[in-house]
C-alpha cells in the first residue's frame, strides 16, 4: 500500500492507495474515526459492485452502516438529492460521533462531501473514490459542491475528508470511456506541475491503459502527491490552487451548455485543455515542439467531438457564469512550458471565440496522430 499525506495541520489526512486493501479498513479506519453510525453514500452502479465489500469491512471495524443510494450521473449532484441524503442521515440517527462515506466517482464524492460539510454544521467524511478521475483529483483537496442549473459547482464548501481510500480493484470494472476521462486529469498534472509525469505516461502508456497495478500505483500516487502539495500551500484557492483549473474554464462551459448530459467531466476538461494549448500557441507561450508533444498526448486520451448543433453562443454564455471569473474578466490557465502554467485575465475574447469555433466546427480531429 502506498500512502500520501495531505499536510494541513490539524486537518491533515492520509491517502491510502493499493489493490485489495478492503481488509485493512478494520485496522486503519478506527485509528482516525470513532465507532458509530455511518451513512454510506453511493450510486446505483457502484453500490452493486462494491457496496457489499465496503459494508462488510465497516462492520468488521465495528461501525454501523446505513446505505443511501442515488442515481448514477451528474443529474444527482443537486440540492434536491442533497436534501434526500439529509433525510436519510436524520432517519439513520447520524450524529457528530458518526460519519459519511462517499463510495463512487466525482459526483458521489462531491455530493456526499457537501452533505457532510453542511449536515449538523459538519460531520466527518471519508472518500472511497472508484473512478480514475476521482482517485487522482476530486477526492483530494476538500472541494465539495452541487450544481445549479446556471452553472457547475456553484454551491459548495471547502471541507476536508478524514482520509481517502483508493482501492485499485474498482478500476477493473470501470468502462473504458470513464477510464480515459480520468486519464485526462492525470495528463493535466503533468502539464501544470511535473513534466516527468508526461514522460512516464509516454513510456508506460500501454501499461497504464491496461491497468497494471505497479504503473497505476505510481501514476495515481504521483498525482495525489502533486495535488497534496498544491492544497497544502493554498487550501482555498487564493493563489496557487487556481492552476488546477487548467482546461476547466472552457470545459465547465461545455458541460453547462450541454446540460451535463453529453460530456463526462474529464472529456470536457480535455477539450478545454486542447483549446487552452491553442490559446497558448497564439500567445507564443509554448514552442511548436512542446505544443505538438502535448497535443499528441491529448490524442492518446482521445478528444470527444462537440455534439451536433452546439452553438458557440451557448458555450460563451456559460463561460460568463464561471465561478472563477473576476468581475468581467474570465480567468484562463495557460501553459508556458510543459510543467508550468500561469493565470491570464487578458485573453482576447476573439481568440477564445475562434478556437472554440474551430472545435465546434471540426469535421476531423484537431489533434495530430498520437504516435
Amino acid at each position: 500500500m502506498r500512502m500520501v499525506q495531505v499536510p494541513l495541520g490539524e486537518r491533515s489526512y492520509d491517502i491510502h492507495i493499493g489493490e485489495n486493501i478492503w481488509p485493512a479498513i478494520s485496522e486503519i479506519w478506527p485509528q482516525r474515526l470513532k465507532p458509530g453510525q455511518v451513512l454510506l453514500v453511493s450510486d446505483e452502479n457502484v453500490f452493486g459492485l462494491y457496496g457489499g465489500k465496503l459494508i462488510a469491512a465497516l462492520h468488521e471495524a465495528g461501525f454501523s452502516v446505513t446505505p443511501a443510494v442515488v442515481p448514477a450521473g451528474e443529474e444527482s449532484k443537486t440540492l434536491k438529492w442533497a436534501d434526500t441524503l439529509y433525510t436519510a442521515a436524520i432517519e439513520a440517527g447520524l450524529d457528530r460521533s458518526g460519519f459519511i462515506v462517499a463510495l463512487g466517482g466525482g459526483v458521489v464524492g462531491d455530493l456526499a462531501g457537501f452533505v457532510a460539510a453542511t449536515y449538523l454544521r459538519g460531520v466527518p467524511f471519508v472518500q472511497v473514490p472508484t473512478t480514475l478521475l476521482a482517485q487522482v483529483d476530486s477526492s483530494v483537496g476538500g472541494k465539495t459542491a452541487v450544481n445549479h442549473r446556471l452553472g457547475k459547482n456553484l454551491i459548495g464548501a471547502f471541507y476536508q475528508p478524514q482520509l481517502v481510500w483508493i482501492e485499485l480493484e474498482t478500476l477493473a470494472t470501470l468502462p473504458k470511456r470513464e477510464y480515459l476521462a480520468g486519464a485526462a486529469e492525470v495528463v493535466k498534472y503533468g502539464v501544470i506541475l511535473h513534466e516527468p509525469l508526461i514522460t512516464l505516461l509516454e513510456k508506460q502508456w500501454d501499461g497504464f491503459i491496461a491497468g497494471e497495478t505497479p504503473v497505476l500505483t505510481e501514476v495515481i500516487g504521483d498525482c495525489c502527491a502533486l495535488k497534496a502539495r498544491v492544497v497544502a500551500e493554498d487550501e482555498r484557492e487564493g493563489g496557487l490552487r487556481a492552476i488546477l483549473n487548467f482546461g476547466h474554464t472552457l470545459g465547465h462551459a461545455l458541460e453547462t451548455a450541454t446540460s451535463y448530459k453529453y460530456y463526462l467531466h474529464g472529456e470536457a476538461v480535455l477539450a478545454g485543455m486542447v483549446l487552452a494549448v491553442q490559446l497558448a500557441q497564439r500567445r507564443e507561450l509554448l514552442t511548436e515542439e512542446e505544443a505538438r508533444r502535448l497535443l499528441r498526448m491529448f490524442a492518446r486520451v482521445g478528444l470527444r467531438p462537440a455534439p451536433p448543433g452546439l452553438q458557440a453562443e451557448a458555450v460563451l454564455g456559460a463561460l460568463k457564469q464561471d465561478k472563477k471569473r473576476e468581475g468581467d474578466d474570465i480567468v484562463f490557465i495557460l501553459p508556458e512550458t510543459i510543467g508550468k502554467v500561469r493565470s491570464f485575465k487578458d485573453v482576447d475574447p476573439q481568440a477564445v471565440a475562434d478556437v472554440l469555433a474551430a472545435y465546434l466546427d471540426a469535421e476531423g480531429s484537431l489533434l495530430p496522430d498520437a504516435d
Side-chain angles (χ1 to χ4, degrees):
M1 186 189 305
R2 180 174 176 179
M3 190 171 70
V4 175
Q5 186 181 65
V6 183
L8 291 170
E10 294 180 353
R11 296 182 308 287
S12 297
Y13 55 94
D14 294 329
I15 305 165
H16 301 264
I17 307 162
E19 188 172 30
N20 193 27
I21 58 175
W22 302 111
I25 287 175
S26 61
E27 174 189 352
I28 295 174
W29 287 31
Q31 298 175 16
R32 181 78 179 186
L33 299 150
K34 298 177 182 177
Q37 184 68 38
V38 176
L39 183 71
L40 172 58
V41 180
S42 189
D43 71 38
E44 54 198 6
N45 292 339
V46 174
F47 185 76
L49 293 168
Y50 302 107
K53 287 188 175 184
L54 182 53
I55 289 173
L58 289 170
H59 284 164
E60 180 69 21
F63 300 113
S64 179
V65 184
T66 298
V69 180
V70 303
E74 194 80 22
E75 292 82 359
S76 294
K77 213 170 86 169
T78 63
L79 286 171
K80 176 184 175 182
W81 279 105
D83 182 72
T84 298
L85 295 179
Y86 294 138
T87 300
I90 294 167
E91 291 178 345
L94 185 70
D95 58 24
R96 288 195 180 99
S97 67
F99 59 97
I100 292 174
V101 176
L103 173 68
V107 168
V108 167
D110 281 5
L111 173 64
F114 176 75
V115 170
T118 49
Y119 178 70
L120 299 180
R121 298 190 177 91
V123 296
F125 86 109
V126 174
Q127 291 271 20
V128 185
T130 60
T131 67
L132 180 60
L133 188 148
Q135 289 174 359
V136 301
D137 192 67
S138 61
S139 67
V140 180
K143 276 191 176 182
T144 72
V146 294
N147 298 331
H148 188 275
R149 67 182 181 279
L150 296 180
K152 186 178 175 71
N153 295 335
L154 294 181
I155 306 165
F158 287 97
Y159 194 67
Q160 301 295 339
Q162 294 296 301
L163 59 89
V164 179
W165 196 260
I166 298 177
E167 170 58 73
L168 297 178
E169 179 194 9
T170 62
L171 297 180
T173 53
L174 193 66
K176 183 177 180 180
R177 183 184 171 194
E178 292 268 3
Y179 189 90
L180 290 173
E185 289 280 1
V186 171
V187 171
K188 179 193 78 174
Y189 283 103
V191 179
I192 67 174
L193 282 167
H194 196 55
E195 183 276 338
L197 179 57
I198 299 296
T199 300
L200 173 63
L201 290 170
E202 289 169 337
K203 293 179 178 179
Q204 300 287 340
W205 185 257
D206 290 344
F208 173 62
I209 291 299
E212 295 175 2
T213 297
V215 179
L216 283 180
T217 302
E218 183 176 6
V219 169
I220 293 172
D222 287 354
C223 289
C224 289
L226 290 166
K227 185 161 188 181
R229 191 178 87 196
V230 173
V231 171
E233 183 172 331
D234 179 20
E235 183 179 2
R236 292 179 174 266
E237 203 170 293
L240 178 65
R241 188 165 178 168
I243 69 173
L244 298 174
N245 293 317
F246 173 60
H248 286 62
T249 303
L250 277 165
H252 281 171
L254 287 167
E255 287 182 282
T256 301
T258 53
S259 302
Y260 312 111
K261 294 178 180 179
Y262 179 76
Y263 294 97
L264 298 177
H265 177 62
E267 293 173 337
V269 168
L270 182 67
M273 290 194 293
V274 170
L275 300 181
V277 167
Q278 292 176 338
L279 289 171
Q281 286 181 281
R282 286 172 174 249
R283 297 179 73 112
E284 298 183 346
L285 299 175
L286 292 169
T287 67
E288 188 65 27
E289 178 52 36
E290 286 175 323
R292 285 190 61 80
R293 186 182 176 196
L294 290 180
L295 294 174
R296 283 196 299 268
M297 178 56 66
F298 297 156
R300 285 186 170 188
V301 180
L303 176 63
R304 186 165 172 78
L310 180 61
Q311 299 297 311
E313 291 77 11
V315 182
L316 295 173
L319 194 62
K320 295 177 181 178
Q321 302 299 325
D322 189 276
K323 65 182 183 298
K324 299 174 290 296
R325 70 186 186 280
E326 297 181 13
D328 293 331
D329 296 323
I330 306 298
V331 179
F332 285 87
I333 307 299
L334 302 181
E336 295 183 300
T337 187
I338 300 175
K340 182 181 179 182
V341 294
R342 186 158 60 90
S343 176
F344 291 85
K345 293 189 291 184
D346 62 343
V347 176
D348 180 8
Q350 187 59 53
V352 176
D354 288 345
V355 298
L356 177 61
Y359 169 61
L360 297 179
D361 298 338
E363 295 182 0
S365 174
L366 296 179
L367 302 179
D369 292 337
D371 297 322

